[in-house]
Amino acid sequence: DNYYLVQCSFASTLIDNDGVDNLTSKDMQRYADALKVKYIYLFDRNGSVIVTNSPFDSFKISDDPTHYSNQFRRVLEGLEHIVLSPLKDEWQDEYIQYVAVNRRDENNRNDGMVLIGIDPALRDRLLSPLSVDTVLENLVIGLPDEALAVNKETMKIAATTGLGYKGSPIEDLG
């Protein structure tokens, strides 16, 4: 989440540096490609899209508190940022995660927000080197010959450095 929050903040900086008035969907796609995100939206302070690389280029944040997009209204009202969990997007019929950051003008007043949409598969690729299996496979310094990780809830072996027994109860090791 922090990685994508930084990416969203950086997207906001890129937009500010290039100037909002001249941005096109091609510029937004270039930013998205560089930041390795799927979509970048720039919203005005009223919650309407100014420019995006998404096909939903006339989207408006809902005023209805039960609507998914309404969560971003808090960012438009002054919350610094919001990171939502990945879910199936009802408009685009795809699994996606959204992160938004508030934008401020030169007088430190609300000036809309930048929102990025991330394909959760990208997130999984970023996190895969941190999986228990990968960490144990690559740890060699300062460990005994073998190491293992146990799931505290199931008390089963979650991963080992090569002992086998993955998925077995810890009692199998004695």
Side-chain angles (χ1 to χ4, degrees):
D1 290 349
N2 287 335
Y3 174 82
Y4 285 116
L5 183 56
V6 168
Q7 295 295 76
C8 192
S9 295
F10 191 59
S12 182
T13 301
L14 289 171
I15 288 167
D16 287 342
N17 287 343
D18 278 353
V20 173
D21 297 331
N22 300 320
L23 288 176
T24 67
S25 61
K26 287 182 181 180
D27 294 324
M28 298 302 263
Q29 185 60 55
R30 189 169 38 91
Y31 297 155
D33 292 343
L35 297 173
K36 296 182 178 22
V37 299
K38 189 161 190 171
Y39 303 118
I40 301 178
Y41 298 83
L42 173 61
F43 287 87
D44 65 17
R45 66 180 58 122
N46 297 314
S48 296
V49 169
I50 297 172
V51 64
T52 182
N53 64 321
S54 165
F56 293 89
D57 57 359
S58 60
F59 184 76
K60 184 165 173 52
I61 301 297
S62 177
D63 290 322
D64 178 357
T66 64
H67 196 270
Y68 173 77
S69 73
N70 184 266
Q71 297 175 77
F72 298 110
R73 184 131 321 263
R74 295 184 310 181
V75 176
L76 293 171
E77 293 168 350
L79 184 67
E80 187 175 317
H81 66 269
I82 190 168
V83 179
L84 299 183
S85 298
L87 56 78
K88 180 127 180 175
D89 186 295
E90 61 188 63
W91 304 289
Q92 301 186 70
D93 196 33
E94 61 187 351
Y95 198 61
I96 197 159
Q97 179 176 13
Y98 290 104
V99 177
V101 296
N102 184 285
R103 295 183 66 242
R104 297 297 205 187
D105 66 14
E106 61 277 352
N107 296 318
N108 201 29
R109 296 184 49 96
N110 178 20
D111 199 23
M113 72 176 178
V114 171
L115 177 124
I116 61 172
I118 305 121
D119 178 347
L122 295 173
R123 179 188 179 101
D124 291 344
R125 279 200 305 271
L126 283 174
L127 292 177
S128 66
L130 302 178
S131 72
V132 173
D133 287 334
T134 304
V135 170
L136 287 176
E137 284 173 12
N138 292 296
L139 285 178
V140 288
I141 298 172
L143 287 178
D145 291 337
E146 303 296 340
L148 62 94
V150 176
N151 181 320
K152 288 198 278 187
E153 292 176 12
T154 65
M155 295 308 287
K156 292 189 176 186
I157 297 169
T160 71
T161 56
L163 289 173
Y165 297 98
K166 185 173 178 182
S168 301
I170 58 172
E171 293 84 17
D172 286 2
L173 286 178

